[in-house]
Amino acid sequence: MEEFVVQVIADNDVKTKRVQLEAEKHSDIAQQKAKLLKVMELIDIYDQVIDSHVEAKTVFYKLSVQSAIERTKGQAFVQQTRNQLNRCMFNTLNLGKLYLDKNFFKEKSFIKKITESEEAHQKAENLRKKVFTENSEYMLGCELRAYSQHASIMTRTIHRGIQRDLEKSQLTANVSASISKRELCSKRHISEEKLLRIPDKIDLQKCLDGYVDGISEMHILNLNLLRDFVDALIKQIETFAQSLAHNVGANISDAYFIKVTCDTLSDENEQNTNEESVSISSEWLGLIRQLLDKHRSATKFLHTKHEPS
């Protein structure tokens, strides 16, 4: 048993008391919090992947509208369009790579690092292989990300198309971007097996749709495999918080913040409250539960068409 300083803030009241706790229990809670932080970080990265891709699709749509009303603009418009699209696509590909690196690092899955479950790890590994095999756009996205590290501009080809329907008096404008198979292969070696799956002209918007869909499919599986484990961690931390509050004489039925600090004495018998502190916030624990429920199904960008009503 060691002595800790426990501070409880709840119901606009602050209570502080020294209590005897098992050092091992304090360490366990710190490790559980560290795992929850890693889960939150993975969710944050996924959210940024989605936000970046939605921004890219929004730029495509905006430029399509501009193309229809500013048809007289020439090379300056093409260059501006190309720059915006390259920036958005570059962000999406790199954020996606960041997620994938977190998801699997040196053949060890994020799931196994958190849960230590071999069964859960195998499910994640099987899906990763399945997505790579069946989703050609995802595979292409992985190759494009590698290509973008060696090319300052991902695409130099912008397509502007306008279709007129004289019977309905409608005008349809579209902006798209592409890269050739030859250009993609010019910066790096690509295996023959992959080359057979790559079209001569790659539609970059379609490619990124499938790339993000593949990441999304893996992320949803991660959340499903993590949900019960994370819920158990949160309950353990909440139980520990209730125990601390009871020792201090505080009521934490509503929102609360608790800080536990190891209290050590130096050789000169001077108090030194320092290093090893653990904080527990009901709001933070509630946020993790909300984040786990934020995404319940994988995206279907590749198979969804968006039109204004």
Side-chain angles (χ1 to χ4, degrees):
M1 300 288 284
E2 292 185 15
E3 190 170 80
F4 291 82
V5 176
V6 178
Q7 183 183 66
V8 179
I9 303 175
D11 298 327
N12 296 320
D13 187 27
V14 180
K15 292 188 176 181
T16 304
K17 184 179 179 181
R18 286 185 174 83
V19 299
Q20 294 290 322
L21 297 173
E22 294 181 6
E24 184 177 335
K25 183 63 178 176
H26 177 270
S27 178
D28 287 345
I29 294 299
Q31 291 176 17
Q32 290 165 359
K33 270 202 67 179
K35 287 187 175 183
L36 292 179
L37 282 168
K38 289 179 180 178
V39 171
M40 180 178 282
E41 181 184 40
L42 190 74
I43 294 174
D44 284 345
I45 294 172
Y46 176 76
D47 282 346
Q48 290 179 60
V49 172
I50 299 300
D51 289 345
S52 176
H53 187 52
V54 169
E55 180 186 1
K57 293 181 76 66
T58 302
V59 169
F60 270 106
Y61 179 77
K62 182 187 75 171
L63 294 174
S64 294
V65 174
Q66 288 180 330
S67 178
I69 63 177
E70 301 174 356
R71 285 173 289 173
T72 58
K73 289 197 172 183
Q75 191 59 37
F77 174 81
V78 173
Q79 184 176 3
Q80 176 192 12
T81 300
R82 184 183 63 194
N83 290 343
Q84 289 187 60
L85 293 177
N86 273 308
R87 175 179 58 80
C88 290
M89 291 185 291
F90 186 82
N91 287 343
T92 300
L93 289 170
N94 280 281
L95 285 167
K97 180 62 163 58
L98 178 60
Y99 183 93
L100 294 171
D101 285 346
K102 293 284 184 182
N103 189 39
F104 266 86
F105 182 71
K106 294 182 178 179
E107 301 306 313
K108 186 173 183 180
S109 67
F110 178 84
I111 288 295
K112 188 169 184 178
K113 291 177 184 176
I114 299 297
T115 67
E116 299 180 4
S117 169
E118 185 61 38
E119 180 182 359
H121 165 80
Q122 197 57 54
K123 289 180 179 179
E125 172 67 12
N126 290 343
L127 179 61
R128 182 174 71 145
K129 292 178 178 178
K130 179 175 180 289
V131 169
F132 191 87
T133 301
E134 298 180 1
N135 185 338
S136 293
E137 285 73 24
Y138 168 80
M139 179 274 293
L140 256 175
C142 294
E143 292 298 329
L144 272 173
R145 189 268 168 187
Y147 169 86
S148 69
Q149 301 307 296
H150 304 282
S152 58
I153 295 178
M154 192 182 312
T155 179
R156 294 176 175 83
T157 306
I158 302 296
H159 310 278
R160 288 188 292 168
I162 296 177
Q163 294 180 333
R164 290 183 175 87
D165 189 325
L166 297 179
E167 293 183 0
K168 295 182 180 180
S169 298
Q170 287 184 345
L171 188 70
T172 302
N174 178 264
V175 169
S176 61
S178 68
I179 184 174
S180 69
K181 179 178 182 177
R182 183 176 63 180
E183 178 64 23
L184 177 63
C185 299
S186 67
K187 301 295 182 180
R188 57 186 272 105
H189 172 73
I190 299 177
S191 69
E192 190 66 30
E193 181 182 357
K194 292 178 183 178
L195 286 174
L196 293 174
R197 299 170 61 191
I198 300 176
D200 291 334
K201 187 176 78 171
I202 302 163
D203 183 322
L204 291 175
Q205 187 173 7
K206 180 181 177 182
C207 177
L208 263 68
D209 281 345
Y211 178 69
V212 173
D213 284 348
I215 292 172
S216 181
E217 196 174 349
M218 287 182 263
H219 182 68
I220 297 305
L221 177 64
N222 283 340
L223 293 186
N224 291 336
L225 295 174
L226 284 168
R227 191 166 279 108
D228 290 343
F229 183 83
V230 168
D231 189 57
L233 288 184
I234 292 175
K235 287 179 179 177
Q236 290 177 40
I237 294 174
E238 288 175 334
T239 299
F240 182 65
Q242 290 284 353
S243 174
L244 292 173
H246 177 75
N247 286 334
V248 173
N251 179 15
I252 60 169
S253 56
D254 297 319
Y256 61 84
F257 176 85
I258 298 175
K259 186 174 182 180
V260 187
T261 306
C262 182
D263 187 18
T264 59
L265 297 177
S266 67
D267 293 338
E268 291 80 13
N269 210 32
E270 294 178 352
Q271 183 171 313
N272 175 32
T273 58
N274 59 1
E275 307 129 358
E276 307 201 7
S277 64
V278 172
S279 61
I280 302 172
S281 167
S282 59
E283 184 177 5
W284 185 74
L285 294 175
L287 175 61
I288 294 175
R289 284 195 170 107
Q290 290 178 26
L291 291 175
L292 284 174
D293 288 333
K294 184 177 180 179
H295 302 286
R296 283 285 184 173
S297 58
T299 61
K300 300 292 182 183
F301 287 119
L302 189 59
H303 304 290
T304 304
K305 185 177 181 180
H306 302 278
E307 292 183 344
S309 58

